[in-house]
Amino acid sequence: MAECCVKCGHPHVVKNGFVAGRQRFKCKSCHYQFTTEKLERGKPLWMKLEAVLLYISGLSLNAIAENLDVSAQAVLNWVRDFARANIEKPEPGKVVVVELDEFWHFVEFKKNRIWIWKAYDRDHGQLIDWELGNRDCETVERLLERLAQWQVTVYCTDGWQGFESLLDEHPDAYHVATKTETKAIERNNSDHRHWFARFKRKSKVVSKSLEMVDLTMALFAKFRVNGNIELLRNWKLSLLA
């Protein structure tokens, strides 16, 4: 029998039935009911990892919730928490060719467009950085300020006029403005829209916050470009073994 009440500390407690197979007690002083063993709450870790895997594989939050028989809010929390813990960008180093490009998305409604500007390291096949904002020079400048930490030899872009004026401020790197030199990042954009439901051009999935767009970018970079989804899949399987 429990020695004392876990709430008020009174020593007079009596047995009061069972809950989830555990003995329940009742305090005769404050009438608080409790068990001496902590009940396990929440879903298992393997299920949360399965939700992240399905998200990275192109399912919407609602579709994942239906498959796992949980709420869409629970899936959102799992994906968001996992992504927050795994935001990872390559450490600045020396690269020869960096391709710059952008594609549009929207938050809450289609007229509220945002632009995702991306920097792709052609030599190592890595997405090294990105920036969310408008289709303007200020947004690109924020990205270029971080890219200044890299030893970039050549920037390859399309013919957007803003690139020429902005890259003139980076005399250490040569600028090539032609779509024939941005094929790698265009393929990356295609993969981006393929692997995540929220980025598909024709989709019922709607992004409701910039944070989830940015966190999804982090998942895409880590598990679909710079890394391998098999690492996550093997981790989940090890929990089931």
Side-chain angles (χ1 to χ4, degrees), residues 158-199:
D158 57 20
W160 185 64
Q161 295 180 350
F163 282 130
E164 185 173 355
S165 60
L166 289 170
L167 290 173
D168 283 345
E169 301 175 7
H170 298 266
D172 296 334
Y174 186 67
H175 178 210
V176 178
T178 171
K179 290 187 73 68
T180 60
E181 293 296 333
T182 59
K183 293 180 180 178
I185 197 169
E186 291 287 356
R187 285 195 299 270
N188 184 267
N189 289 342
S190 178
D191 290 341
H192 205 152
R193 294 195 183 278
H194 173 74
W195 286 118
F196 291 90
R198 71 177 63 239
F199 293 127

Side-chain angles (χ1 to χ4, degrees), residues 27 32 39 54 60-61 75 77 114 157 176 206 213 222 232:
C27 177
Y32 182 68
L39 294 177
L54 292 174
S60 68
L61 298 177
V75 176
N77 293 340
I114 62 168
T157 72
V176 178
V206 178
V213 177
K222 182 165 184 175
L232 184 57

Side-chain angles (χ1 to χ4, degrees), residues 58-109:
L59 270 67
S60 68
L61 298 177
N62 285 323
I64 298 169
E66 185 177 352
N67 274 276
L68 299 180
D69 194 24
V70 296
S71 69
Q73 183 62 50
V75 176
L76 171 63
N77 293 340
W78 299 343
V79 172
R80 183 176 56 202
D81 292 346
F82 182 87
R84 284 173 176 170
N86 285 276
I87 294 178
E88 181 180 287
K89 295 180 180 179
E91 291 293 326
K94 183 175 182 180
V95 293
V96 178
V97 180
V98 169
E99 298 183 20
L100 300 176
D101 198 21
E102 84 287 349
F103 72 93
W104 65 268
H105 187 49
F106 65 92
V107 177
E108 293 188 347
F109 50 91

Side-chain angles (χ1 to χ4, degrees), residues 197-220:
R198 71 177 63 239
F199 293 127
K200 295 187 187 334
R201 291 188 180 275
K202 293 183 179 181
S203 173
K204 294 182 180 180
V205 182
V206 178
S207 294
K208 295 184 179 180
S209 71
L210 281 175
E211 183 190 23
M212 275 306 296
V213 177
D214 190 51
L215 292 175
T216 303
M217 286 291 306
L219 292 175
F220 172 67

Side-chain angles (χ1 to χ4, degrees), residues 107-131:
V107 177
E108 293 188 347
F109 50 91
K110 290 187 177 180
K111 290 185 179 180
N112 188 25
R113 283 195 176 188
I114 62 168
W115 295 84
I116 302 173
W117 297 84
K118 299 161 64 175
Y120 185 81
D121 173 11
R122 184 193 295 180
D123 307 311
H124 302 97
Q126 289 189 319
L127 187 61
I128 59 176
D129 211 338
W130 59 86
E131 182 67 34

